[in-house]
Amino acid sequence: MSHATFNRRWATVLLETLTRHGVRHICIAPGSRSAPLALAAASSDKWVCHTHFDERGLGFLALGLAKTTHQPVAVIVTSGTAVANLHPALVEAHLTGEKLIAISADRPPELINCGANQAIEQPGIFAPHVSASLNLPRPSPAIPARWLVSAVDTLLAQQQHGGVHINCPFAEPLYGADSADYLSWQDELGSWWHSGKPWLSYPQQSHAATEEDWPQWREKRGVVIVGRVSAEQGKQLAAWAATLGWPLLGDVVSQTGQPLPSASLWLAHPMAQQALADAQIVVQFGGSLTGKNLLNYQNRCRPEMYWLVDQLPGQRHPGSVGGRRIQADISDWLQRHPAVVHQPWCPQLATLAQRTTHYLQQHLQQFGEAQLAHRLTALLPENGALFIGNSLSIRLADAFAQLPAGYPLYCNRGASGIDGLLATAAGVQRGTGQPLLILLGDLSALYDLNSLALLQQATAPVVVVVVNNQGGQIFSMLPTPVSERERFFTMPPRVDFCHAAALFGLRFAQPAGWHELRDAVAEGFKAGTTLIEVVVNGDDGAQTLARCASEVVHL
């Protein structure tokens, strides 16, 4: 009987086990050693299979799918450096909580450390950026199928957040026509094949405890800080804080509608600092705050009590503030801690927000990336979503935009890197099936340029807005030496993105003003994928942000 057939049996049982844990999407890169896994995935309609020629982009594609489906997503790659290329996406998932299952094919042990081709030491390669790992033995009929499903069930029971790694050595032969050989091996699992349940289940305990003193604290002067939460949670938190009469300081990723917009600018105002000093309790939901002034307030405030509520485990406050670290689903926690109606206790903040909004309307008239961020809401597709890049793009949006409450916004704000942003956005689009606006800088786009190939297969219109500001202009806001800034920090690429659009068969536009940009975006959302390059003057956006921040404190 063919060993190639048994490799397929082994791979089939492994992938079938994943379905019992909610896996519906499998992302697959080309490779020979991973052939048993890829062919097993292709043989069933239980999964939606996604493919990409670049493993790094494939990992981020899976990350985007996991963000939107809220399900674990599997990634299959071949052996060697293909495995290492998944590391950046697993680092991000480790910090933001999306469940990825990295499945790497491997050479059998006798081909490791002996000069064999495409063979590296793969077990433990992602530590400490996965929550658990499983190094499987070489497939053998002597190993019962019930052991394999039990081992995978046990691994996935440990995956509360972030990624896990399954390493699968396969000995040749890897190919061959499927046959009825070794059916008895997999048939020992009996009714499991039709049950839809794990072979070995690990019931989970709920973490949504009730703070018994909440009825007392909700009568006090409170402040709500909201970082990265879901769109639905953002709407719930906005209503909860408004009922309590507590000011809500929302990050751009909060999806709360930022009822006090541009807080990252006016929080440094003396009137804001004086008013907030009277807060008795601060309740923070989610992490990954963007604006420097909000981060400063988070670290320096000294209320009587500080609660931080987040479903991820561990320390989530960079300032190591004392108080209560509450690990819970935010929606569940809000149900257990209802608000009662109070009048706003801190109207000074609303006054500052209004003054800042009026100031920005007057001072952001020149076309550029600051004005683009300020008017971002006008570009959003109806019933769609927004994906925003890191570095300067998200900081400008945080300072100048006010996005609608509950409008879906996605980003990679765990490690906050610029790698894999287009691939993640492609996964977001596939997961939602909705139109998507992508906003990112030129270096971010170049860093993930080949992932434009993934957007050729978008299931709804996609518009990619690339702000070409000649490099990493975020460094112009830092004390980098001017004499060496361009050479060693901003590194302007000096490229024309029309060629990137042509390379991948995408529509292209290069508007020179706001009205042209708005029209190009609207046209792009009629069909297909459109790349729009907005060419701006170097560090104008960064300098505008710095100028506004310095002037708002004197309003």
Side-chain angles (χ1 to χ4, degrees), residues 243-431:
T243 301
L244 286 166
W246 292 2
L248 187 154
L249 307 178
D251 189 276
V252 64
V253 301
S254 70
Q255 303 173 94
T256 59
Q258 293 175 292
L260 296 171
S262 301
S264 62
L265 296 177
W266 54 255
L267 268 173
H269 197 288
M271 188 166 76
Q273 295 180 358
Q274 182 179 2
L276 289 169
D278 290 334
Q280 296 168 296
I281 179 172
V282 172
V283 185
Q284 178 181 338
F285 298 90
S288 302
L289 303 180
T290 301
K292 181 179 180 180
N293 286 332
L294 183 53
L295 284 165
N296 285 340
Y297 172 71
Q298 177 198 40
N299 290 332
R300 295 175 182 172
C301 68
R302 294 294 182 268
E304 297 173 26
M305 180 58 71
Y306 198 112
W307 293 357
L308 198 158
V309 185
D310 194 294
Q311 66 180 11
L312 296 179
Q315 162 71 298
R316 309 297 296 172
H317 194 299
S320 302
V321 67
R324 299 180 192 175
R325 172 63 181 92
I326 302 165
Q327 184 182 350
D329 177 84
I330 291 172
S331 295
D332 289 346
W333 193 90
L334 291 176
Q335 287 185 346
R336 293 173 178 267
H337 301 82
V340 293
V341 177
H342 291 292
Q343 291 299 311
W345 69 269
C346 194
Q348 303 96 309
L349 302 187
T351 300
L352 282 174
Q354 292 168 2
R355 289 180 190 173
T356 303
T357 297
H358 181 68
Y359 166 88
L360 295 177
Q361 290 170 346
Q362 291 181 318
H363 289 79
L364 297 182
Q365 297 296 323
Q366 181 179 357
F367 181 64
E369 55 185 325
Q371 185 195 66
L372 191 164
H374 183 52
R375 300 182 179 181
L376 186 57
T377 299
L379 303 180
L380 299 177
E382 185 177 359
N383 298 319
L386 169 66
F387 186 95
I388 191 164
N390 285 317
S391 200
L392 189 56
S393 295
I394 198 164
R395 285 172 172 81
L396 291 173
D398 186 56
F400 298 144
Q402 185 178 19
L403 302 175
Y407 192 89
L409 183 149
Y410 300 93
C411 56
N412 286 350
R413 292 297 292 169
S416 298
I418 65 169
D419 47 346
L421 296 178
L422 287 171
T424 307
V428 165
Q429 195 287 311
R430 295 187 189 190

Side-chain angles (χ1 to χ4, degrees), residues 204-270:
Q204 301 297 319
Q205 300 296 320
S206 172
H207 294 283
T210 302
E211 304 303 313
E212 298 297 335
D213 53 353
W214 169 240
Q216 289 76 48
W217 283 112
R218 69 185 178 188
E219 299 298 325
K220 297 182 181 291
R221 296 184 299 275
V223 173
V224 178
I225 297 176
V226 186
R228 184 185 61 246
V229 299
S230 71
E232 183 60 31
Q233 290 167 350
K235 290 173 62 178
Q236 293 170 352
L237 287 166
W240 186 78
T243 301
L244 286 166
W246 292 2
L248 187 154
L249 307 178
D251 189 276
V252 64
V253 301
S254 70
Q255 303 173 94
T256 59
Q258 293 175 292
L260 296 171
S262 301
S264 62
L265 296 177
W266 54 255
L267 268 173
H269 197 288

